[in-house]
Amino acid sequence: VQKKYNAMKKIIAVFVYALIFNTAFAQTQKTNPTKVQPSFVMTAKDSLLCKVWKMVSFDRFAVFNEPPSEKQKNDGFTFMADQTAFVTIEGNAVTGKWMTDKAKKWITVTVDETNEAIRLQVKKLENEELIVEYQDKELMRTNYKYAPVKK
């Protein structure tokens, strides 16, 4: 009887250890923080962006008198309420997802095809005007002025 009792005790101990081991390690699944999409809450300021914007002018050295070049004449943004973005820069059109930071100082467009992030610093956002600053790979900062397209 004692042998059966000890054998039963060992079986229960192994079962308990297996159960504890399994639950302890089942909860330590690693997640990749780069793949987690931050939550986005649309605000009234964000809704001002939700329209078709066409480039009016740009400034490289603090003067907004430069009209769009031939390559830039159709440049602009379309920001949709579902966070879809249609972007045309120097005649190249791409689609992606847009979002703003909590302070509403930055617009980030993540391009669907390349996963590249286009970051724009918001200088001015009003119903009839959007001014953003873009810094290119050569660290050149340019301000772009946009106006909504009238229907």
Side-chain angles (χ1 to χ4, degrees):
V1 176
Q2 186 64 20
K3 284 185 180 181
K4 284 185 179 180
Y5 177 72
N6 286 339
M8 187 65 125
K9 202 172 163 182
K10 286 181 183 178
I11 290 171
I12 291 173
V14 168
F15 179 75
V16 169
Y17 286 126
L19 185 63
I20 291 170
F21 181 82
N22 189 26
T23 56
F25 287 100
Q27 296 175 5
T28 59
Q29 183 180 17
K30 291 184 179 180
T31 58
N32 187 347
T34 59
K35 296 204 177 201
V36 175
Q37 293 294 326
S39 61
F40 179 75
V41 178
M42 180 76 73
T43 65
K45 188 146 186 162
D46 292 320
S47 66
L48 279 176
L49 282 171
C50 294
K51 56 181 83 171
V52 180
W53 296 95
K54 183 169 173 134
M55 187 168 68
V56 176
S57 62
F58 69 97
D59 100 72
R60 258 224 180 105
F61 304 104
V63 180
F64 266 118
N65 294 334
E66 293 288 328
S69 68
E70 190 62 30
K71 274 178 116 174
Q72 298 170 322
K73 69 181 179 181
N74 294 316
D75 284 8
F77 298 102
T78 301
F79 297 111
M80 308 293 285
D82 68 355
Q83 290 183 271
T84 302
F86 301 95
V87 180
T88 304
I89 299 175
E90 293 188 346
N92 298 316
V94 295
T95 60
K97 293 289 184 190
W98 70 272
M99 70 181 326
T100 56
D101 65 327
K102 285 184 180 181
K104 309 302 177 195
K105 301 270 186 205
W106 293 90
I107 303 168
T108 303
V109 177
T110 304
V111 178
D112 289 334
E113 197 172 295
T114 63
N115 214 25
E116 174 188 2
I118 301 170
R119 284 184 40 101
L120 306 163
Q121 185 176 11
V122 178
K123 297 293 191 174
K124 185 176 184 181
L125 174 58
E126 294 178 352
N127 199 33
E128 297 296 317
E129 185 176 54
L130 170 65
I131 298 175
V132 295
E133 181 179 87
Y134 174 72
Q135 181 174 314
D136 63 20
K137 292 174 183 159
E138 289 81 35
L139 304 179
M140 176 71 86
R141 293 181 182 200
T142 306
N143 288 305
Y144 295 92
K145 186 181 208 178
Y146 296 88
V149 173
K150 303 292 182 193
K151 294 180 183 178

